[in-house]
Amino acid sequence: MTHVVSFINLKGGVAKTTTLVQLAETLAFIRGKRVLVIDLDPQTNATIALIGETRWERVDEAGQTLAQLFLDKIHGTQVFELERAILHGVSNLNLIHIPDDVTLGPDVRYPRIDLLPSSIRLIEAQDRMNDIALRSHHTISPMDVIRQAVSGVFGRYDYVLIDCPPNLGYITQNGLEVSDFYLIPTIPDRLSTHGIPQIVKTISELRRMRRLSIRCLGALVTKYQVASSIHKRGLETLPDLLWRAFEQSGEPVAPLFDVRIPQANATAEAMDWTNSPANFKEKYGRSRSGSQQMFELPILLADEFMARLEAATALTS
Ligand SMILES: Nc1ncnc2c1ncn2[C@@H]1O[C@H](COP(=O)(O)OP(=O)(O)OP(=O)(O)O)[C@@H](O)[C@H]1O
Ligand SMILES: [Mg+2]
């Protein structure tokens, strides 16, 4: 079964992309899962982290990015080709030897991450999304482009992870439309958590209006600083904030993930494609965070992510 999850927060810089890439790599290379990353952010951070600048320039020039998909719908062109645009076996960990004891599905030879890349040209598309409805004589909704053009391939993967820009505009809504769940990464401070009630309310309304099945998988604390009194206080107030946000929207209250991602240079550095790590341990750091080695954290997070998805899916089906 495929699980489709959007990563969203209205606040920028809360580690949505870093967490998504880390999870994608852990699910693929440590847990042997098939993962598709969909980059819906014009900043293209997930794309650059997974394929580097040079390869991105080539695919952008060839018009094989999601920006082109939206621009095709706006201009009535047909440059984007889905099967060409999907980049197979991305991530600088893909070059590394896979242990024999990783179990794979019958149709894959190696665990891998595929990517539908983004482009800065998504900004151009973002401002003209209403033109999609006009050009198609209202046969295509501006929220429905990803569903129509891309969701057909989701069945090839165990997990589809969607990186959203820090807003709730049409492009983000395209991601929410095809998602079973959304995850809210947040730094435990006032500015980062401020928009959570707005996210919950908007997605709840969208779910009703568009008859979607999307639910919140939970909130995840990122860039946590143990020594910060602000973060300590933020962590204490977060369950109550979540409870109020979901109660007000008449939604089941979503949990706070047990795993917290600490603020650590190793995590930020891991996003640099040019680093060429020798293996997963090296990529995610050999330093310690409390009693744990840094590279153990993404594994704990991936396991919690998988377990919560299984439990939440069983509950809603
Ligand atoms: N655990 C961490 N420890 C230290 N730095 C981190 C950590 N996670 C992310 N960062 C850094 O914080 C910054 C923001 O991270 P990231 O780009 O993942 O956030 P984002 O929420 O996706 O931002 P945006 O809203 O702009 O898309 C980056 O410079 C990143 O390297
Ligand atoms: Mg981002």
PDB file of all heavy atoms in Angstrom, residues 103-115:
ATOM      1  N   THR A 103      15.236  -6.524   2.376  1.00  0.00           N
ATOM      2  CA  THR A 103      14.213  -7.215   1.591  1.00  0.00           C
ATOM      3  C   THR A 103      13.503  -6.215   0.674  1.00  0.00           C
ATOM      4  O   THR A 103      13.082  -5.164   1.122  1.00  0.00           O
ATOM      5  CB  THR A 103      13.137  -7.821   2.525  1.00  0.00           C
ATOM      6  OG1 THR A 103      13.772  -8.160   3.741  1.00  0.00           O
ATOM      7  CG2 THR A 103      12.470  -9.014   1.905  1.00  0.00           C
ATOM      8  N   LEU A 104      13.373  -6.582  -0.580  1.00  0.00           N
ATOM      9  CA  LEU A 104      12.743  -5.672  -1.536  1.00  0.00           C
ATOM     10  C   LEU A 104      11.505  -6.308  -2.138  1.00  0.00           C
ATOM     11  O   LEU A 104      11.359  -7.520  -2.158  1.00  0.00           O
ATOM     12  CB  LEU A 104      13.718  -5.347  -2.673  1.00  0.00           C
ATOM     13  CG  LEU A 104      15.014  -4.723  -2.242  1.00  0.00           C
ATOM     14  CD1 LEU A 104      15.909  -4.516  -3.452  1.00  0.00           C
ATOM     15  CD2 LEU A 104      14.758  -3.400  -1.566  1.00  0.00           C
ATOM     16  N   GLY A 105      10.617  -5.466  -2.653  1.00  0.00           N
ATOM     17  CA  GLY A 105       9.445  -5.968  -3.369  1.00  0.00           C
ATOM     18  C   GLY A 105       9.892  -6.701  -4.624  1.00  0.00           C
ATOM     19  O   GLY A 105      11.045  -6.561  -5.039  1.00  0.00           O
ATOM     20  N   PRO A 106       8.987  -7.491  -5.259  1.00  0.00           N
ATOM     21  CA  PRO A 106       9.376  -8.323  -6.400  1.00  0.00           C
ATOM     22  C   PRO A 106       9.832  -7.518  -7.624  1.00  0.00           C
ATOM     23  O   PRO A 106      10.587  -8.013  -8.446  1.00  0.00           O
ATOM     24  CB  PRO A 106       8.101  -9.103  -6.723  1.00  0.00           C
ATOM     25  CG  PRO A 106       6.997  -8.357  -6.056  1.00  0.00           C
ATOM     26  CD  PRO A 106       7.593  -7.636  -4.899  1.00  0.00           C
ATOM     27  N   ASP A 107       9.369  -6.264  -7.722  1.00  0.00           N
ATOM     28  CA  ASP A 107       9.645  -5.517  -8.946  1.00  0.00           C
ATOM     29  C   ASP A 107      10.808  -4.535  -8.826  1.00  0.00           C
ATOM     30  O   ASP A 107      11.058  -3.762  -9.727  1.00  0.00           O
ATOM     31  CB  ASP A 107       8.391  -4.772  -9.394  1.00  0.00           C
ATOM     32  CG  ASP A 107       7.839  -3.878  -8.316  1.00  0.00           C
ATOM     33  OD1 ASP A 107       8.134  -4.127  -7.128  1.00  0.00           O
ATOM     34  OD2 ASP A 107       7.126  -2.927  -8.645  1.00  0.00           O
ATOM     35  N   VAL A 108      11.515  -4.535  -7.697  1.00  0.00           N
ATOM     36  CA  VAL A 108      12.674  -3.640  -7.598  1.00  0.00           C
ATOM     37  C   VAL A 108      13.943  -4.411  -7.291  1.00  0.00           C
ATOM     38  O   VAL A 108      13.925  -5.395  -6.560  1.00  0.00           O
ATOM     39  CB  VAL A 108      12.527  -2.568  -6.483  1.00  0.00           C
ATOM     40  CG1 VAL A 108      11.907  -1.311  -6.987  1.00  0.00           C
ATOM     41  CG2 VAL A 108      11.835  -3.109  -5.283  1.00  0.00           C
ATOM     42  N   ARG A 109      15.030  -3.925  -7.848  1.00  0.00           N
ATOM     43  CA  ARG A 109      16.301  -4.605  -7.635  1.00  0.00           C
ATOM     44  C   ARG A 109      17.070  -3.953  -6.490  1.00  0.00           C
ATOM     45  O   ARG A 109      17.923  -4.528  -5.903  1.00  0.00           O
ATOM     46  CB  ARG A 109      17.125  -4.594  -8.910  1.00  0.00           C
ATOM     47  CG  ARG A 109      16.670  -5.635  -9.913  1.00  0.00           C
ATOM     48  CD  ARG A 109      17.394  -5.523 -11.220  1.00  0.00           C
ATOM     49  NE  ARG A 109      17.045  -4.302 -11.925  1.00  0.00           N
ATOM     50  CZ  ARG A 109      17.889  -3.306 -12.151  1.00  0.00           C
ATOM     51  NH1 ARG A 109      19.123  -3.389 -11.741  1.00  0.00           N
ATOM     52  NH2 ARG A 109      17.498  -2.239 -12.790  1.00  0.00           N
ATOM     53  N   TYR A 110      16.776  -2.720  -6.206  1.00  0.00           N
ATOM     54  CA  TYR A 110      17.472  -2.037  -5.121  1.00  0.00           C
ATOM     55  C   TYR A 110      16.543  -0.976  -4.541  1.00  0.00           C
ATOM     56  O   TYR A 110      15.668  -0.463  -5.235  1.00  0.00           O
ATOM     57  CB  TYR A 110      18.752  -1.378  -5.645  1.00  0.00           C
ATOM     58  CG  TYR A 110      18.515  -0.436  -6.797  1.00  0.00           C
ATOM     59  CD1 TYR A 110      18.303   0.922  -6.581  1.00  0.00           C
ATOM     60  CD2 TYR A 110      18.463  -0.901  -8.107  1.00  0.00           C
ATOM     61  CE1 TYR A 110      18.060   1.780  -7.624  1.00  0.00           C
ATOM     62  CE2 TYR A 110      18.214  -0.043  -9.162  1.00  0.00           C
ATOM     63  CZ  TYR A 110      18.023   1.296  -8.920  1.00  0.00           C
ATOM     64  OH  TYR A 110      17.774   2.147  -9.954  1.00  0.00           O
ATOM     65  N   PRO A 111      16.694  -0.693  -3.259  1.00  0.00           N
ATOM     66  CA  PRO A 111      15.830   0.336  -2.684  1.00  0.00           C
ATOM     67  C   PRO A 111      16.226   1.668  -3.288  1.00  0.00           C
ATOM     68  O   PRO A 111      17.399   1.922  -3.506  1.00  0.00           O
ATOM     69  CB  PRO A 111      16.170   0.293  -1.201  1.00  0.00           C
ATOM     70  CG  PRO A 111      17.525  -0.274  -1.133  1.00  0.00           C
ATOM     71  CD  PRO A 111      17.698  -1.159  -2.325  1.00  0.00           C
ATOM     72  N   ARG A 112      15.269   2.488  -3.594  1.00  0.00           N
ATOM     73  CA  ARG A 112      15.674   3.705  -4.261  1.00  0.00           C
ATOM     74  C   ARG A 112      14.725   4.847  -3.964  1.00  0.00           C
ATOM     75  O   ARG A 112      13.599   4.658  -3.527  1.00  0.00           O
ATOM     76  CB  ARG A 112      15.743   3.480  -5.762  1.00  0.00           C
ATOM     77  CG  ARG A 112      14.370   3.258  -6.344  1.00  0.00           C
ATOM     78  CD  ARG A 112      14.419   3.160  -7.853  1.00  0.00           C
ATOM     79  NE  ARG A 112      13.070   3.141  -8.366  1.00  0.00           N
ATOM     80  CZ  ARG A 112      12.713   2.479  -9.461  1.00  0.00           C
ATOM     81  NH1 ARG A 112      13.600   1.778 -10.130  1.00  0.00           N
ATOM     82  NH2 ARG A 112      11.473   2.529  -9.882  1.00  0.00           N
ATOM     83  N   ILE A 113      15.240   6.034  -4.215  1.00  0.00           N
ATOM     84  CA  ILE A 113      14.403   7.225  -4.146  1.00  0.00           C
ATOM     85  C   ILE A 113      14.255   7.752  -5.571  1.00  0.00           C
ATOM     86  O   ILE A 113      15.255   7.907  -6.280  1.00  0.00           O
ATOM     87  CB  ILE A 113      15.047   8.333  -3.285  1.00  0.00           C
ATOM     88  CG1 ILE A 113      15.392   7.796  -1.896  1.00  0.00           C
ATOM     89  CG2 ILE A 113      14.121   9.531  -3.180  1.00  0.00           C
ATOM     90  CD1 ILE A 113      16.149   8.780  -1.038  1.00  0.00           C
ATOM     91  N   ASP A 114      13.030   7.965  -5.988  1.00  0.00           N
ATOM     92  CA  ASP A 114      12.783   8.657  -7.243  1.00  0.00           C
ATOM     93  C   ASP A 114      12.363  10.081  -6.898  1.00  0.00           C
ATOM     94  O   ASP A 114      11.868  10.343  -5.792  1.00  0.00           O
ATOM     95  CB  ASP A 114      11.676   7.955  -8.040  1.00  0.00           C
ATOM     96  CG  ASP A 114      12.160   6.621  -8.636  1.00  0.00           C
ATOM     97  OD1 ASP A 114      13.352   6.294  -8.450  1.00  0.00           O
ATOM     98  OD2 ASP A 114      11.339   5.925  -9.254  1.00  0.00           O
ATOM     99  N   LEU A 115      12.555  10.970  -7.867  1.00  0.00           N
ATOM    100  CA  LEU A 115      12.277  12.389  -7.598  1.00  0.00           C
ATOM    101  C   LEU A 115      11.531  13.016  -8.762  1.00  0.00           C
ATOM    102  O   LEU A 115      11.909  12.830  -9.922  1.00  0.00           O
ATOM    103  CB  LEU A 115      13.613  13.134  -7.397  1.00  0.00           C
ATOM    104  CG  LEU A 115      13.545  14.663  -7.367  1.00  0.00           C
ATOM    105  CD1 LEU A 115      12.904  15.161  -6.070  1.00  0.00           C
ATOM    106  CD2 LEU A 115      14.949  15.275  -7.516  1.00  0.00           C
TER     107      LEU A 115
END
